[in-house]
């Protein structure tokens, strides 16, 4: 038989050939490096047979699919080690995930970090033994018998479609319900590390049983693992939840509810500084600020489509708009989006083509019912503020408006030193709008990127149901990628709310609508900034820019006079006038990541200078007071 290779060439093989045979027929080097294959677009084991005419490629450690397969296989190695060490273990799911893998398990004991060391040691023995992964196809009845003492696996079997092909993989004494593929044997597992323990509800349902989740990661090379672990350690140091508390930015209180941040004065100051900076810029770019309610009658959400498609993520409640004798309950909802308010503002007046483009912006706080398991500090909150804007324009204005938005993205991200990438998401299977509208909108986004000289990837079929979009992904100081800005074309709202404008020919047409956010969620962006800068926010954004440190009590009045001058120059300042040693004051200011520490003593007061320390550079020597004030003024954006 003949099979087709990735370069289009064909290879003649025996009828019983496997993927491993294909690799061997190409060369001994590839046969040794081969881990699995892709046959007609489907990843398969090396032992999988190939058919006449099949398109076959070989997966090696350099292939993009390899790392996920390695980590999935390592999860099985870990499970086999658990069986060897603890015997009666009930297994949930054990997938490869971004950055590693995990397995949810039920044991008679609560595992500790010391236990993980023992598990790693047994895993190393399994790897050295190079035990093979053995795949078997079983009937539903055979699967149920095989996993009779595994209730979580039995539930997964029940959930499978009637016509599903059920496969298992055996590694030593451990057999798992699994689609695969896997490495040929455990000996191909490279460097691994079990990283942490956590609790996890079965299937993410808080009403179900709590299992123990064991996290780990794996790489083909030890150096890659060491680099990853170093990055994890650095990320832990930068964790915005830890730094947010230490720096007095925000807090969470269970009494308030899950995912609802409470901002301390320093946090409020940072957020307001970000908003004021962006607000000034938006006014210069022709935007108009609006303010819309936090709650709306449920009819608004029925008209927008959120009532049907987003209901479970919203907070609904009833208000009695009658009286006790004649109650009249009306359903309301807290807004998860700002769009309906902006649409209603547009519709409140008649518009002609001369009014367009019309750009509304708002720092609008929204609330979304995120599952408690995914809430994560400021990065994933239930209550957050969006720097939201909606542009109403004609079809011919779309490209120019998107280019202008990309210019704004460039300015904002450049101000923080972020590098970023763009991704254009195209029409999904379920969508509204004509083919012509989708084609025009998608081409407009592509043309805008081209005019802005912004490279982009295409994410096929991942657009919103109401239109294509550009997503901006920034890279932080330790190489992590974050989704931030977005520009979306919307055919849905103009149609549902029957928006219109008068054309030059005095006819009515629907405007095109662009959603755009630059920070996205201000909370999330702040969390990213805290981690990017490891808490040391840039001078212009720091909640306290200068700490004045008097050497002794007799210098306190001069310290407060200096602080008044810094405030008059627009700076943010604190005076450390407590009766403490200078080393303690400096250490306190340093721990608060304050950019400048200014020491005042007899000599400084006599000379009209200040002794300056910078948080990163240390002692900068004596400065004239005006130099300090000018430095603060020059930092403002």
């Amino acid at each position: 038989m003949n099979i087709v290779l990735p370069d289009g060439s064909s290879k003649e093989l025996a009828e019983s050939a496997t993927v491993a045979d294909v690799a061997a027929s190409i060369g001994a080097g590839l046969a040794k490096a081969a881990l699995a294959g892709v046959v007609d677009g489907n990843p398969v084991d090396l032992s999988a047979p190939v058919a006449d005419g099949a398109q076959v490629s070989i997966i090696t450690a350099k292939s993009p699919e390899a790392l996920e397969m390695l980590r999935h296989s390592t999860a099985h190695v870990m499970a086999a080690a658990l069986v060897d060490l603890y015997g009666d273990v009930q297994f949930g799911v054990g997938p490869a995930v971004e950055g590693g893998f995990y397995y949810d398990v039920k044991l008679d004991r609560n595992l500790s970090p010391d236990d993980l060391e023992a598990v790693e040691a047994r895993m190393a023995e399994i790897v050295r033994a190079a035990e093979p992964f053995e795949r078997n196809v079983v009937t539903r009845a055979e699967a149920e018998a095989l996993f009779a003492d595994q209730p979580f696996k039995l539930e997964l079997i029940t959930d499978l479609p009637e016509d599903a092909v059920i496969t298992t993989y055996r590694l030593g004494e451990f057999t798992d319900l699994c689609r695969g593929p896997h490495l040929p044997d455990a000996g191909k597992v490279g460097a691994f590390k079990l990283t942490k323990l956590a609790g996890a509800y079965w299937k993410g349902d808080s009403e179900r049983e709590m299992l123990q989740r064991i996290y780990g990661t794996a790489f083909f090379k030890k150096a890659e693992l060491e680099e990853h672990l170093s990055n994890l350690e650095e990320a832990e140091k930068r964790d915005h939840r830890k730094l947010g508390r230490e720096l007095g930015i925000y807090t969470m209180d269970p009494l308030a509810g899950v995912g609802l941040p409470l901002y301390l004065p320093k946090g409020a100051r940072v957020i307001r500084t970000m908003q004021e900076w962006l607000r000034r810029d938006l006014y210069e770019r022709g935007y108009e600020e609006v303010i819309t309610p936090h709650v709306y009658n449920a009819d608004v959400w029925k008209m927008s489509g959120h009532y049907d498609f987003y209901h479970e993520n919203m907070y609904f409640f009833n208000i009695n708009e009658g009286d006790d004798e004649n109650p009249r309950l009306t359903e309301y909802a807290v807004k998860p989006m700002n769009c309906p308010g902006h649409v209603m503002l547009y519709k409140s007046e008649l518009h002609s083509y001369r009014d367009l483009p019309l750009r509304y912006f708002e720092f609008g706080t929204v609330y979304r019912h995120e599952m408690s398991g995914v809430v994560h500090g400021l990065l994933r909150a239930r209550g957050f503020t969006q720097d939201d804007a909606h542009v109403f324009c004609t079809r011919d204005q779309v490209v120019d408006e998107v280019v202008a938005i990309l210019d704004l993205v460039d300015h904002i991200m450049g101000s923080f030193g972020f590098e970023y990438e763009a991704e254009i998401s195209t029409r999904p299977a379920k969508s509204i709008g004509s083919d012509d509208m989708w084609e025009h909108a998608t081409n407009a986004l592509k043309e805008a990127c081209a005019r802005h000289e912004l490279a982009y990837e295409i994410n096929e079929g991942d657009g919103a149901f109401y239109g294509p979009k550009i997503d901006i992904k920034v890279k932080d100081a330790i190489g992590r990628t974050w989704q931030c800005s977005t520009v979306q074309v919307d055919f849905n709202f103009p149609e549902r709310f029957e928006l219109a404008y008068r054309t030059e020919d005095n006819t009515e047409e629907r405007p095109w609508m662009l959603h755009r956010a630059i920070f996205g969620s201000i909370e999330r962006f702040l969390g990213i900034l805290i981690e990017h800068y490891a808490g040391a926010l840039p001078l212009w954004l720091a909640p306290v820019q200068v700490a004045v440190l008097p050497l002794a009590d007799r210098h306190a009045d001069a310290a407060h006079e200096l602080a008044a001058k810094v405030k008059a120059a627009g700076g943010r300042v604190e005076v450390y006038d407590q009766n403490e040693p200078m080393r303690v004051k400096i250490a306190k200011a340093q721990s608060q990541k304050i950019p400048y520490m200014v020491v005042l003593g007899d000599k400084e007061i006599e000379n009209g200078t200040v002794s300056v320390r910078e948080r990163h550079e240390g002692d900068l020597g004596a400065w004239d007071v005006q130099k300090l004030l000018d430095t603060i003024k020059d930092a403002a954006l």
Side-chain angles (χ1 to χ4, degrees), residues 544 546-551 555-556 558-564 566 573-578 582 585 589 594 596-600 610 628:
V544 178
V546 179
V548 183
L549 317 180
L551 269 171
H555 307 125
H560 284 283
E561 289 174 9
L562 175 61
V566 173
V573 60
E574 286 183 353
V575 177
Y576 284 23
D577 55 4
Q578 300 87 352
M582 182 54 63
K585 293 180 180 180
I594 297 174
Y596 289 103
M597 291 148 271
V598 175
V599 179
L600 269 183
V610 289
L628 175 66

Side-chain angles (χ1 to χ4, degrees), residues 204-206 258 313 368-375 380 382:
D205 185 347
S206 59
V258 174
N313 296 100
R368 299 177 186 176
H369 181 220
E370 302 283 3
M371 295 294 291
S372 58
V374 302
V375 171
R380 192 75 176 264
R382 287 179 173 174

